Amino acid sequence: MIQAKGFAALSAKTPIVPFSFKRRDPRDADVVIDIKYCGVCHSDIHQARDEWGGSVFPMVPGHEIAGVVRAVGPKVTKYKVGDHVGVGCFVDSCRHCSSCTQGLDQYCLEGPTLTYNGYEKDKKTLSQGGYSNVIVVDENYVMRIPSSLSLDKAAPLLCAGITLYSPLVHWKAGPGKKVAILGLGGLGHMGVKIARALGADVTVLSHSDRKREDALRMGAHHFISTRDRKVFTEYANHFDLIVNTVSAGIDMGDYFGLLKVDGTLVVVGVPDENLTFHPSSLIGKRRSYSGSMIGSTRETQEMLDFCAKHEITPEIEVIAPAQINEAWERVVKSDVRYRFVIDMNR
Ligand code: NAP
Ligand code: ZN
């Protein structure tokens, strides 16, 4: 076994503390990765605090992992020692269901093996995430980080980047489309940059006026503070696509009203409460309400290459592991500009 050092939640009510544990020895197709950086996703907080229910402890969070290959198993063909690689929200899937065989392994019908807060294929070993110094992952669930991306800035792409890239591409954000990103946090700010690069007309919908300048600097064409309720009539029937990244419960009916006839609202935020709406806000204009979860391994690689080509990187604040608890409090208060990234060597 490989000795690992990490940072864990031991229960839903306790802060993150240093934690020692073991990783498996590499199997034939496994890659051993020295983790250099790990992004802080709001999902880490939801899960460590058991806000969605069913969390398993001890939990080493972290699914925005960037590192360097330390060793490879004898049958690994894609990676060699020294390569820059990333790992996202899942580290395995069944590989034979209709989703996996279609290249939609994030929607594996048996459930993908989550990078943390789940069990490995033996159904006994807890999977543990990237708030740690080393991870062992099957090469098919490892992504290559293009050389033009630094590892600290690549890390948030593995969840925040792909979670916005996938729906924006699927619902065809591009020239002639009015796209709104609802919530300018870790996910939302990647959505702005990616939607802009895809050629869409991009608007940020934010619950205060505080992030206006940032949004415009990042590439948004327009910024709307939803604090002023007048905007819901002013921008009625305006957008082709809205992606909701908000981590809290909000009334969706308000936002459906902003969609054109046949417009779509895709939810990616996962609050700890239900999202409410009255059906008339959809029915009246044949609007669609949908959801999207991260992206496949193939699409995650495509997204990394797209971000490298278009020079898209997140805006990050690098922290030491000792600052994780404080950083989490700032994420909860929407006071992150725009992604914390943990330097695992500090
Ligand atoms: P984040 O950085 O905390 O951003 C969330 C944003 O939501 C905030 O910056 C804020 O934007 C807005 N917001 C927060 N509280 C609000 C409130 N009370 N009312 C209105 N707006 C509020 O979080 P994140 O890491 O981007 O994650 C966002 C959500 O997506 C989380 O629930 C996370 O679990 C989920 N997630 C889903 C997937 C997926 O595959 N579907 C993947 C990763 C994460 P403004 O200040 O601009 O309003
Ligand atoms: Zn995430």
Side-chain angles (χ1 to χ4, degrees):
M1 300 287 271
I2 298 172
Q3 187 58 48
K5 263 188 349 203
F7 299 87
L10 304 181
S11 79
K13 301 269 179 241
T14 48
I16 296 293
V17 291
F19 179 71
S20 291
F21 62 108
K22 298 234 177 349
R23 299 285 193 187
R24 66 173 184 257
D25 286 321
R27 299 179 191 136
D28 286 357
D30 279 347
V31 179
V32 183
I33 302 164
D34 280 322
I35 299 175
K36 301 296 181 192
Y37 295 96
C38 185
V40 172
C41 179
H42 206 124
S43 303
D44 300 343
I45 305 169
H46 289 306
Q47 292 177 90
R49 296 182 177 172
D50 200 16
E51 291 172 352
W52 298 336
S55 289
V56 280
F57 298 95
M59 181 196 300
V60 177
H63 56 207
E64 294 186 336
I65 298 168
V68 179
V69 175
R70 180 199 289 187
V72 292
K75 295 208 171 127
V76 168
T77 57
K78 295 186 197 158
Y79 301 105
K80 59 179 194 317
V81 172
D83 283 354
H84 284 191
V85 292
V87 177
C89 298
F90 60 103
V91 289
D92 211 339
S93 66
C94 82
R95 310 180 193 204
H96 54 69
C97 73
S98 54
S99 295
C100 286
T101 52
Q102 276 182 78
L104 291 171
D105 42 7
Q106 78 274 37
Y107 301 122
C108 173
L109 299 183
E110 292 181 15
T113 303
L114 298 178
T115 303
Y116 69 88
N117 193 26
Y119 291 93
E120 293 189 7
K121 282 272 172 274
D122 65 7
K123 298 191 164 55
K124 300 193 298 241
T125 311
L126 280 178
S127 58
Q128 300 290 15
Y131 291 15
S132 60
N133 66 334
V134 61
I135 192 166
V136 181
V137 182
D138 183 294
E139 69 166 334
N140 292 302
Y141 298 83
V142 172
M143 269 59 67
R144 179 174 300 282
I145 295 178
S147 58
S148 64
L149 295 174
S150 63
L151 288 178
D152 54 353
K153 293 198 165 180
L157 300 178
L158 276 306
C159 173
I162 185 60
T163 300
L164 272 290
Y165 181 84
S166 184
L168 287 169
V169 170
H170 184 78
W171 276 277
K172 302 189 169 47
K177 292 283 179 71
K178 286 192 162 59
V179 173
I181 304 293
L182 173 49
L184 192 68
L187 268 56
H189 93 294
M190 291 313 307
V192 170
K193 294 183 180 209
I194 292 167
R196 173 86 194 216
L198 289 168
D201 183 78
V202 184
T203 300
V204 168
L205 298 167
S206 191
H207 78 305
S208 77
D209 208 36
R210 287 178 295 167
K211 299 177 182 172
R212 179 183 295 276
E213 278 174 29
D214 289 352
L216 299 175
R217 175 175 48 75
M218 285 173 198
H221 300 90
H222 320 276
F223 179 94
I224 297 173
S225 164
T226 55
R227 175 155 293 181
D228 179 0
R229 302 268 325 157
K230 277 206 308 274
V231 300
F232 291 102
T233 38
E234 211 174 307
Y235 291 93
N237 313 313
H238 189 79
F239 296 107
D240 296 284
L241 176 67
I242 301 176
V243 184
N244 171 15
T245 76
V246 173
S247 53
I250 51 177
D251 184 71
M252 295 314 300
D254 285 345
Y255 295 92
F256 293 147
L258 302 180
L259 290 171
K260 290 179 181 170
V261 173
D262 283 331
T264 301
L265 191 147
V266 183
V267 59
V268 297
V270 190
D272 59 356
E273 55 191 310
N274 291 340
L275 295 176
T276 53
F277 65 97
H278 189 276
S280 60
S281 56
L282 285 177
I283 292 168
K285 300 280 185 304
R286 198 167 62 185
R287 296 166 174 135
S288 300
Y289 188 23
S290 195
S292 182
M293 189 177 80
I294 43 175
S296 67
T297 44
R298 180 196 51 70
E299 196 176 31
T300 304
Q301 186 64 60
E302 179 185 303
M303 176 277 311
L304 286 167
D305 298 339
F306 176 90
C307 289
K309 181 171 166 213
H310 293 272
E311 299 181 355
I312 294 172
T313 53
E315 311 217 342
I316 61 170
E317 186 172 334
V318 178
I319 59 167
Q323 295 169 278
I324 294 171
N325 292 302
E326 183 194 323
W328 279 20
E329 290 313 318
R330 284 183 52 199
V331 172
V332 171
K333 283 192 268 176
S334 305
D335 178 30
V336 47
R337 299 288 192 277
Y338 277 85
R339 201 59 148 183
F340 288 112
V341 173
I342 310 163
D343 178 347
M344 298 315 312
N345 288 325
R346 276 211 213 154

